[in-house]
Amino acid sequence: MTVGGAIALILGTLSAFGSLALGAGQWPSIILGVIFFFAGISLIKYRKDTDQV
């Protein structure tokens, strides 16, 4: 989720400021990128990864 959110955020930002053409999908890409990026960061942050079964 973090990687996908970062990719969507980068593509949306590049599209919004003129160096890439995504058409009308630039603002939804930015919004979804932010949501997925922070959701992925919170999953990484709060996950307790142990080797115990």
Side-chain angles (χ1 to χ4, degrees):
M1 287 180 74
T2 307
V3 174
I7 291 170
L9 189 59
I10 290 168
L11 289 177
T13 305
L14 288 175
S15 176
F17 294 110
S19 64
L20 183 69
L22 283 180
Q26 61 194 8
W27 292 109
S29 178
I30 292 172
I31 293 168
L32 288 175
V34 168
I35 291 170
F36 278 104
F37 182 74
F38 285 116
I41 291 293
S42 68
L43 282 174
I44 291 171
K45 192 165 129 180
Y46 291 111
R47 181 181 168 149
K48 295 183 173 41
D49 194 15
T50 61
D51 290 337
Q52 295 177 348
V53 176

